[in-house]
Amino acid sequence: MSDEYKTITTTSEGFYSEKRSKFLAFAHHVETPDEVRELLAQYRKKYYDARHVCYAYMLGAERKEFRANDDGEPSSTAGKPILGQINSNELTDILIVVVRYYGGVNLGTSGLIVAYRQAASDAIAHAQTVLRQVEEVVTYDFPYAMMNDVMRIVKEMQPRIVSQTFDNTCQIKLSIRQSEAGQLRQRLQKLRPSTDSGSS
């Protein structure tokens, strides 16, 4: 598994219109289903007069938690094309909401699929994307006498120091990209006799 993933950093908007139907798209960075629910409630309240508020989201670095919702549109004509744009751009931790104002003319299933896809695509095009790393936290306990050795490894491998406690027994918590966590653990463990491992 790759220890990098792509997400958006800003809220962005997109727009598409077809036969007087207007499709307003909004892309948000989200990290939990609770955030998704909160945003959807806001959109339903704000656009209470819209015919449909459809959406799709994808969560987590492994991109395994996702959902698509048609909100009354014919099955798979709204949520699925929105999710398709999230997938084709390999994004995660993202929610895209598309609000539809009906223009009085039916678009048919293929017309709806194109409309929702284009609106979502436009919102993504206006978003700032960023590549992030999956990090793992390594906790290491050691006697104060080993401080210089530990800090030398920290300097060389450059993990992020989450917390540190210096006493008779010291503890340091280090966050590092997932693919390098094993190497960091190994190097720390080599500092002490093999009888005592001291890291997790």
Side-chain angles (χ1 to χ4, degrees):
M1 191 195 94
S2 166
D3 64 352
E4 287 185 331
Y5 62 96
K6 199 161 68 160
T7 188
I8 62 167
T9 54
T10 50
T11 299
S12 62
E13 296 181 15
F15 179 76
Y16 184 79
S17 74
E18 179 72 24
K19 293 177 182 167
R20 297 200 302 275
S21 270
K22 290 185 173 67
F23 297 83
L24 318 178
F26 306 91
H28 290 265
H29 176 82
V30 288
E31 291 179 11
T32 64
D34 284 343
E35 283 178 82
V36 171
R37 279 191 287 274
E38 210 172 290
L39 284 163
L40 288 172
Q42 287 172 24
Y43 278 109
R44 289 197 176 109
K45 193 174 174 184
K46 186 175 179 181
Y47 297 100
Y48 66 92
D49 55 340
R51 178 70 72 91
H52 305 281
V53 178
C54 307
Y55 66 90
Y57 67 81
M58 176 78 69
L59 298 176
E62 294 181 19
R63 305 180 74 245
K64 283 180 179 170
E65 191 178 348
F66 58 88
R67 187 162 181 210
N69 188 295
D70 297 314
D71 192 38
E73 291 281 32
S75 180
S76 300
T77 60
K80 214 171 171 182
I82 299 169
L83 187 63
Q85 287 304 300
I86 292 173
N87 278 326
S88 63
N89 286 277
E90 297 178 337
L91 291 163
T92 192
D93 288 347
I94 184 174
L95 163 71
I96 298 180
V97 180
V98 181
V99 177
R100 180 192 182 187
Y101 281 96
Y102 184 57
V105 180
N106 287 340
L107 303 184
T109 54
S110 58
L112 286 171
I113 289 167
V114 168
Y116 281 101
R117 186 172 64 218
Q118 290 302 115
S121 175
D122 196 41
I124 291 170
H126 288 103
Q128 277 187 317
T129 58
V130 65
L131 208 56
R132 291 198 172 156
Q133 294 170 350
V134 183
E135 293 192 339
E136 204 172 304
V137 175
V138 174
T139 305
Y140 187 66
D141 299 304
F142 58 96
Y144 189 79
M146 283 169 57
M147 174 71 71
N148 288 346
D149 294 334
V150 171
M151 294 320 278
R152 189 181 69 246
I153 291 173
V154 169
K155 193 178 174 187
E156 285 169 9
M157 291 196 68
Q158 297 194 317
R160 188 165 51 83
I161 297 174
V162 179
S163 67
Q164 47 192 353
T165 316
F166 300 137
D167 211 331
N168 294 338
T169 300
C170 306
Q171 185 184 78
I172 193 164
K173 280 188 181 180
L174 305 167
S175 188
I176 194 164
R177 65 184 295 176
Q178 209 170 41
S179 58
E180 294 174 11
Q183 190 191 348
L184 177 61
R185 278 196 184 90
Q186 228 173 0
R187 289 191 62 181
L188 290 169
Q189 280 166 5
K190 276 184 182 169
L191 293 176
R192 55 171 76 240
S194 55
T195 50
D196 182 10
S197 64
S199 85
S200 63

